[in-house]
Amino acid sequence: MTTGMKTVTPELVREHSLTPDEYGRIKKLLGREANFVELGVFSVMWSEHCSYKSTRAHLKKLPTKAAWVIQGPGENAGVIDIGDGDACIFKMESHNHPSFIEPYQGAATGVGGIMRDVFTMGARPIAMMNALRFGEPSHPKTRHLVSGVVSGIGGYGNCMGVPTVGGEVNFHKSYNGNILVNAMCVGLARTDKIFLSAAKGAGNPVVYIGSKTGRDGIHGATMASAEFDDASEEKRPTVQVGDPFTEKLLLEACLELMATDAIIAIQDMGAAGLTSSSAEMADKGGSGIELDLDKVPQRETGMTAYEMLLSESQERMLAVLKPGREDQARAIFEKWELDFAVIGFTTDTSRFVIKHGGAVVADIPVTALSDEAPIYERPYAKRAPVTGAPTFDKSKPVLASLEKILAAPDMASRRWVWEQYDNSVMNDTVQHPGGDAAVVRVHGTKKALAITTDVSPRYCRPDPFEGGKQAVAEAWRNLTAVGATPLAVTDNLNYGNPQKPEIMWEIVAGIDGIGEACRALDFPVIGGNCSLYNETNGEGILPTPAIGAVGLLKDVTRMATVAFKRQGDVVILIGETKGHLGQSIYLREIEGREEGAAPMVDLAVEKKNGDFVRGLIASGRVDTVHDVSDGGVLVSVAEMAMAGRIGASIGMAALPEAAPFWFGEDQARYVIAAPFAEAEKIVKEARAAEIFVAELGKTGGDALVLDDKDRVPLARLSAAHEGWFPRFMAGEEIPATN
């Protein structure tokens, strides 16, 4: 074999983030020393980002099947059947490390990459979501990072003509050196037009389509599999550069090609670029693949085989066509002014063979890059969950605390963020950002998809198992609150260094919690992403297993929103309140402490209460619902009042302590509002079903009135709630939260 490349040394192996044991395994698989190109190929394919070597053993425990699941984990995205021959295709992935280094391009290419994961399956993207975590607002980089990330998401999504319909934005000091940018895409396809990535058969042409290959993003997958340090800014060249206008052309061209019967397999070039797309397609198809890099469209001169194989240049796809269909495909892509090249063919050798300059520069068994990648049962140190109920100052006035909470960074209105996004393009967005879940109509029908992203990291640190359960339950509750039947989950598991036993325990316990909740709620996991090594200088993030979820409304006219709609409606609380203040927003924002036990999640009660509420919405009896989550009951009522611009007079007699009832974060609860006659029936039915229910009061006026004595105008609450984000982004001084 001709190499003409660097000699592989132990130092070079270390620079490629491979251990001596891993390199020893590579030599055994090859039967010789690896050359420089092969070392690069193994380094990305065996990286944590691509191989999931620390989590694969545990991810197998997640439930992935249901009657409505068409495609579970293992493909570019998961697929569920939503009836009438329609399929929903969705996935969530991280772009954390690149977004910290270069926030605009990092976030933009995260959006572009997740869209390609969806449309490579044959779907037209119809909605985007995101889950964002930033450091403290007072940190010198936070405002810059928020601005860049939000601009990148909006810039790419808006240019693509796909609405960004919701998401999360939170702040915590654990993300000061390592922000999280998780992007979710939802698309629609016909069930008989789903495209997979298995390159079956030999002698089939392999075609490259999209943009030219450059030197951006080289070793992006490896960077995403390592901790940061003070020199992480130097990794800027590993951040990809996106072009949404090209991606829009690529989307339309791919969908046009998919309307023919020319495609055997198709895959986007994401992490590890040409290497991962070609090797994974060959592996899934049980075939081999041979590529000639001289035929790869290049935008820079003098590119080496190593650079072309590891580049993560954006807006590129790889497809395997039926023989003789190359000219048909070429005509489509040339019409859309995109590069098209036949760069290789499938083989029956089960080998990954790469040629450059007339010489073979890599020759690797395909399974060595996939099945033979290491799987680690990393040691983990179990720890007991944090327990105990925190103390609190009983003298603090309830409504003053409410106003302060509504103006806190984690609780203030995200309007400034979502107004940067086009959330109405395509004209099918039925429920816009600001509610419990976004709702997007299936075009031309009366059915709609509900979409949400959720996790409460402050619960996951003291109790990673219950925190994982709660993330799923919260997503399920948000879909339920708009009237949707929850169908499936995509997860984005953001954690620190798995080689630390205490972090590995957070990962294992989080996955176990997610699995238990998904089984109990019949809510399968159909895909996802693991993002580990989210640490800077040894300081890890809060464990953040973000959950993206989709549900179905069969009739979009039977849908609930959070806003109060009528004067005189009865405000009803569904679900038991014990007054759990551990790890609550109240404790953090009012008392200045993060302590106590995370709330427990009773999944049987979650299902019972949620099914009851969903039934009320589906029957048309209730159109006003809000789940109770961050901040507790009083925050939920205030949000409903502000959204509808209708006040409420509420209270509870004989409360021993006010704060735990109004601000406690007990799970499985909803606030609903209904006209008096209907409310009476609902209360009776709930009690007959042994569901905890309480009448809190009624809607009306222009203020929130508590116990007929304390009063705060809605205008004042709204000003506090809406004001924080614009002031922060304008660079004004931010008052301390404690």
Side-chain angles (χ1 to χ4, degrees):
M1 181 184 298
T2 303
T3 62
M5 295 170 272
K6 293 182 185 178
T7 301
V8 173
T9 63
E11 183 180 3
L12 198 59
V13 169
R14 282 195 303 275
E15 288 175 6
H16 282 73
S17 300
L18 292 164
T19 67
D21 285 346
E22 287 171 344
Y23 185 63
R25 184 171 181 160
I26 288 168
K27 288 196 292 184
K28 285 184 179 178
L29 290 167
L30 293 175
R32 55 176 170 78
E33 295 278 348
N35 66 40
F36 180 57
V37 170
E38 292 166 337
L39 182 69
V41 167
F42 274 104
S43 76
V44 292
M45 293 302 294
W46 284 18
S47 69
E48 191 73 61
H49 192 74
C50 292
S51 75
Y52 290 7
K53 56 190 173 187
S54 298
T55 55
R56 263 198 290 175
H58 300 284
L59 293 171
K60 292 176 182 177
K61 297 181 284 185
L62 293 173
T64 60
K65 296 180 180 178
W68 54 90
V69 174
I70 295 173
Q71 177 65 56
E75 273 294 338
N76 289 291
V79 187
I80 54 174
D81 190 331
I82 58 171
D84 310 306
D86 293 322
C88 172
I89 300 178
F90 67 98
K91 175 85 174 288
M92 181 160 62
E93 280 202 342
S94 60
H95 228 221
N96 302 337
H97 287 52
S99 298
F100 183 78
I101 295 170
E102 175 44 68
Y104 184 94
Q105 290 296 345
T109 52
V111 169
I114 197 65
M115 281 196 199
R116 287 194 301 281
D117 279 341
V118 167
F119 74 71
T120 193
M121 301 286 292
R124 179 174 291 280
I126 63 162
M128 296 294 299
M129 296 280 276
N130 51 73
L132 312 178
R133 298 294 187 297
F134 297 100
E136 296 167 296
S138 59
H139 190 275
K141 288 195 71 169
T142 298
R143 185 182 296 108
H144 162 72
L145 291 168
V146 172
S147 176
V149 166
V150 170
S151 296
I153 291 170
Y156 208 103
N158 295 354
C159 289
M160 285 292 294
V162 179
T164 299
V165 294
E168 298 181 283
V169 183
N170 290 108
F171 300 89
H172 191 273
K173 62 185 178 183
S174 75
Y175 306 106
N176 280 348
N178 202 126
I179 65 172
L180 302 184
V181 176
N182 296 171
M184 179 179 176
C185 182
V186 179
L188 288 173
R190 299 295 290 173
T191 55
D192 60 352
K193 282 287 186 179
I194 307 298
F195 290 83
L196 304 180
S197 59
K200 296 178 180 178
N204 300 316
V206 177
V207 299
Y208 172 117
I209 47 186
S211 288
K212 289 180 170 61
T213 293
R215 290 187 171 94
D216 54 322
I218 293 172
H219 273 299
T222 311
M223 178 189 71
S225 307
E227 295 179 26
F228 274 166
D229 56 29
D230 291 330
S232 54
E233 291 285 347
E234 298 170 8
K235 297 179 181 178
R236 193 175 300 273
T238 63
V239 178
Q240 311 90 330
V241 178
D243 178 357
F245 299 103
T246 299
E247 177 118 338
K248 175 65 173 170
L249 300 177
L250 184 61
L251 164 64
E252 300 301 338
C254 285
L255 292 178
E256 185 173 335
L257 180 62
M258 288 167 174
T260 72
D261 64 347
I263 296 175
I264 292 174
I266 187 166
Q267 171 121 334
D268 83 295
M269 292 192 219
L274 186 56
T275 291
S276 63
S277 56
S278 56
E280 289 172 5
M281 291 172 80
D283 178 58
K284 290 173 185 175
S287 65
I289 196 162
E290 184 172 315
L291 304 180
D292 184 348
L293 299 184
D294 294 336
K295 298 177 180 177
V296 170
Q298 301 161 52
R299 69 166 182 259
E300 300 183 44
T301 58
M303 290 192 72
T304 65
Y306 181 99
E307 290 170 332
M308 279 187 274
L309 284 172
L310 271 59
S311 167
E312 293 183 13
S313 295
Q314 297 293 285
E315 294 84 42
R316 301 180 301 159
M317 308 280 277
L318 199 67
V320 176
L321 303 181
K322 294 177 181 176
R325 307 301 289 274
E326 298 93 324
D327 289 344
Q328 180 185 16
R330 184 188 304 277
I332 291 172
F333 284 90
E334 288 182 350
K335 181 185 82 171
W336 289 100
E337 298 182 346
L338 295 166
D339 278 287
F340 177 95
V342 179
I343 66 168
F345 52 90
T346 58
T347 69
D348 59 4
T349 65
S350 297
R351 297 191 74 82
F352 177 81
V353 177
I354 306 298
K355 293 181 177 178
H356 185 228
V360 173
V361 294
D363 186 351
I364 304 169
V366 168
T367 55
L369 300 174
S370 54
D371 299 347
E372 296 295 337
I375 299 177
Y376 293 126
E377 291 271 8
R378 296 200 187 276
Y380 51 84
K382 290 186 179 182
R383 68 169 189 267
V386 175
T387 58
T391 59
F392 61 96
D393 184 350
K394 301 175 185 179
S395 69
K396 291 185 183 293
V398 170
L399 291 183
S401 295
L402 171 67
E403 187 175 347
K404 189 173 183 180
I405 287 170
L406 290 174
D410 269 6
M411 299 298 292
S413 169
R414 270 62 182 131
R415 184 183 304 276
W416 182 92
V417 176
W418 55 258
E419 283 185 345
Q420 314 299 311
Y421 309 145
D422 189 336
N423 54 72
S424 298
V425 65
M426 301 176 80
N427 205 33
D428 280 317
T429 306
V430 181
Q431 195 162 155
H432 295 262
D436 285 323
V439 179
V440 179
R441 184 188 295 106
V442 176
H443 191 72
T445 75
K446 67 176 184 178
K447 64 188 177 186
L449 297 172
I451 312 163
T452 189
T453 58
D454 280 288
V455 65
S456 300
R458 65 183 188 281
Y459 299 161
C460 298
R461 175 59 56 81
D463 193 335
F465 178 75
E466 286 296 321
K469 281 171 59 180
Q470 193 276 339
V472 173
E474 172 72 10
W476 191 87
R477 205 180 307 139
N478 279 345
L479 299 177
T480 292
V482 300
T485 300
L487 291 180
V489 159
T490 177
D491 57 36
N492 204 144
L493 307 181
N494 306 275
Y495 290 93
N497 184 346
Q499 296 178 57
K500 296 179 178 178
E502 64 275 18
I503 301 297
M504 194 63 214
W505 165 241
E506 292 177 347
I507 297 168
V508 173
I511 291 172
D512 288 347
I514 290 169
E516 182 167 306
C518 287
R519 278 185 288 272
L521 299 173
D522 206 10
F523 205 21
V525 180
I526 63 167
N529 172 246
C530 291
S531 175
L532 309 185
Y533 296 95
N534 288 292
E535 299 198 1
T536 297
N537 294 328
E539 291 294 319
I541 61 166
L542 290 177
T544 311
I547 300 295
V550 170
L552 178 67
L553 289 100
K554 292 184 178 178
D555 182 354
V556 74
T557 65
R558 296 287 176 90
M559 177 185 75
T561 65
V562 303
F564 287 149
K565 297 171 184 64
R566 295 163 293 272
Q567 305 270 344
D569 273 8
V570 180
V571 181
I572 301 169
L573 174 63
I574 302 289
E576 184 179 13
T577 300
K578 297 179 180 178
H580 186 97
L581 286 180
Q583 304 298 331
S584 66
I585 290 290
Y586 178 85
L587 191 71
R588 191 179 74 192
E589 300 299 334
I590 304 303
E591 299 285 339
R593 290 177 283 131
E594 298 180 40
E595 62 185 44
M600 301 298 287
V601 180
D602 186 324
L603 294 165
V605 174
E606 283 284 359
K607 191 164 193 324
K608 186 177 185 180
N609 293 0
D611 289 349
F612 179 75
V613 169
R614 195 183 313 105
L616 295 175
I617 300 169
S619 63
R621 298 170 64 192
V622 170
D623 61 3
T624 306
V625 178
H626 194 5
D627 86 303
V628 179
S629 55
D630 295 350
V633 171
L634 194 58
V635 167
S636 293
V637 172
E639 289 172 342
M640 297 169 85
M642 290 187 294
R645 298 182 181 179
I646 297 173
S649 180
I650 60 174
M652 283 296 289
L655 283 177
E657 295 168 340
F661 180 85
W662 293 116
F663 298 112
E665 296 183 7
D666 306 271
Q667 301 294 292
R669 297 182 299 162
Y670 303 81
V671 175
I672 67 175
F676 179 77
E678 192 61 58
E680 278 195 323
K681 296 176 188 175
I682 290 169
V683 169
K684 287 179 182 177
E685 290 169 17
R687 287 175 177 157
E690 298 183 333
I691 290 172
F692 281 91
V693 62
E695 295 183 43
L696 297 178
K698 65 179 182 178
T699 63
D702 60 1
L704 193 59
V705 181
L706 189 63
D707 296 325
D708 293 325
K709 56 182 180 180
D710 297 323
R711 180 181 187 279
V712 59
L714 278 190
R716 181 169 161 177
L717 288 180
S718 294
H721 187 53
E722 296 285 349
W724 184 85
F725 232 110
R727 291 200 314 275
F728 172 62
M729 295 310 297
E732 297 176 17
E733 185 176 352
I734 304 303
T737 55
N738 297 316

